[in-house]
Amino acid sequence: MEFGLILLVIAVIFITKSVKVVPQQHAYVIERLGKYNGTLTPGLSFLMPFVDRVAYKHVLKEIPLDIPSQVCITRDNTQLQVDGILYFQVTDAMRASYGSSNYVIAISQLAQTSLRSVIGKLELDKTFEERDIINAQVVQAIDEAALNWGVKVLRYEIKDLTPPKEILHAMQQQITAEREKRALIAASEGRRQEQINIATGEREAFIARSEGEKQAAINNAQGQAASILAVAEANAQAIERVAAAIRQPGGEQAVQLKVAEQAVLAYSKVASEATTTLIVPSNMTEVAALIGSAMKMAQIQKS
């Protein structure tokens, strides 16, 4: 009974030592008698008991690594407190086991030194503007060295860039001054545009007034011309009607009568004025001669 129990214990130990189940996205490094023998992939694997052993276990997933905060000095001798986060992945379990005693610490230290080197080449203002360039250069520097450790550096991200309080205060003052400058420029541009708009409005108003005055003058001149033309046409029509009336039977006698009436009316008007000295012709036949002359002129116009 005791012997059977011993055999059962030995069998359990044998199975435990010989059968290994590797989870997904993991890799086990196997050593045989202290020497690298192979890498177990996910699934069921069998080992030689007491000869093979699992020396290292690696996770093949993407791993985030927090890089401790450190002080970096920029090209213009300004101190910056910088911290970041690094993402890496084990791609070669054998190299990750034997390439470095601790590849996590190695990557972390290399990330810090690379970051100090990259920031030391930049001025303070550039460090805030070129984060993507800094991240890319840090990844490139780490990835070249991490190849020997079986590790692939995927990306690096800066979390915080914190300058000293004095520098931060000076930067805030600079930003405030820049904003005030932009505000003054905007205000002056507004006043300039306002003056331009006022001048443009006055010019357009003056042009409109001058155009209106010009059109009014043209309309007035055209009205006067039309009035003069209408008066002339009326006079011409009146003369034509008088001439036509004279050519009618009895027209000449009517003209003689009208002229005689006008002459008598003129003499009577002159005689009615108290200060006027009236000189009556000695021979009244001269009045008839005057009427006859008028009639001759009318006949000449008729002919």
Side-chain angles (χ1 to χ4, degrees), residues 63 65 67 88 100-109 149 151:
I63 301 173
L65 177 62
I67 305 300
F88 71 94
S100 174
S101 61
N102 192 327
Y103 60 85
V104 175
I105 295 178
I107 291 174
S108 177
Q109 294 296 321
W149 305 332
V151 177

Side-chain angles (χ1 to χ4, degrees), residues 112-244:
Q112 289 182 316
T113 56
S114 300
L115 181 62
R116 286 195 297 267
S117 177
V118 173
I119 291 182
K121 299 176 182 178
L122 300 175
E123 295 181 355
L124 178 62
D125 294 337
K126 293 295 183 180
T127 58
F128 295 97
E129 299 173 2
E130 300 181 356
R131 284 196 176 191
D132 293 338
I133 297 176
I134 295 174
N135 296 337
Q137 291 181 357
V138 171
V139 170
Q140 182 180 2
I142 301 173
D143 198 35
E144 292 176 356
L147 290 176
N148 296 327
W149 305 332
V151 177
K152 174 66 177 177
V153 178
L154 302 176
R155 58 190 178 276
Y156 177 82
E157 297 292 339
I158 295 177
K159 292 194 295 184
D160 288 318
L161 282 172
T162 307
K165 294 182 179 179
E166 296 79 8
I167 301 297
L168 185 60
H169 182 66
M171 292 175 65
Q172 291 175 348
Q173 289 182 337
Q174 182 180 1
I175 293 173
T176 302
E178 186 66 26
R179 290 179 178 175
E180 291 177 352
K181 175 184 175 183
R182 288 199 296 265
L184 291 175
I185 292 174
S188 63
E189 288 292 335
R191 290 192 296 270
R192 174 176 173 271
Q193 190 62 41
E194 179 184 4
Q195 293 176 357
I196 291 174
N197 293 339
I198 292 174
T200 302
E202 291 178 350
R203 184 186 67 180
E204 292 178 354
F206 178 78
I207 293 174
R209 287 195 298 269
S210 63
E211 288 292 335
E213 293 174 355
K214 174 184 176 182
Q215 190 63 40
I218 292 173
N219 294 339
N220 188 21
Q222 290 177 350
Q224 291 179 357
S227 176
I228 294 173
L229 181 61
V231 172
E233 289 179 352
N235 291 333
Q237 290 178 1
I239 292 172
E240 289 178 357
R241 289 183 180 181
V242 171

